[in-house]
Amino acid sequence: MVELHRDGELIDRHDEVYFDMLGEVLERLIDDGRWRLIGVSVIDAKASRQRQAVPA
């Protein structure tokens, strides 16, 4: 049995989870897909202008 708890509350439960199913069950429980989103933050606009390609 595999259970997902958040702040002490049972969110989801899967009974009869066998070893060969464990990875797939854990993926469904904990992967919300946010890892697929890419975030870009400009820290300093001046620093980005200084990093220009040097002509060969």
Side-chain angles (χ1 to χ4, degrees):
M1 168 180 20
V2 176
E3 295 181 344
L4 174 65
H5 293 260
R6 184 174 298 126
D7 299 325
E9 180 183 347
L10 177 63
I11 304 298
D12 201 352
R13 175 181 176 164
H14 292 264
D15 293 319
E16 297 187 27
V17 176
Y18 298 99
F19 181 76
D20 61 340
M21 301 166 46
L22 185 57
E24 184 180 320
V25 170
L26 290 175
E27 178 185 16
R28 276 185 281 162
L29 287 174
I30 63 176
D31 183 9
D32 61 2
R34 282 189 258 172
W35 63 271
R36 293 182 184 105
L37 302 176
I38 297 173
V40 176
S41 300
V42 175
I43 297 172
D44 185 1
K46 292 178 186 176
S48 65
R49 277 188 241 124
Q50 292 173 355
R51 295 184 184 140
Q52 295 178 355
V54 178

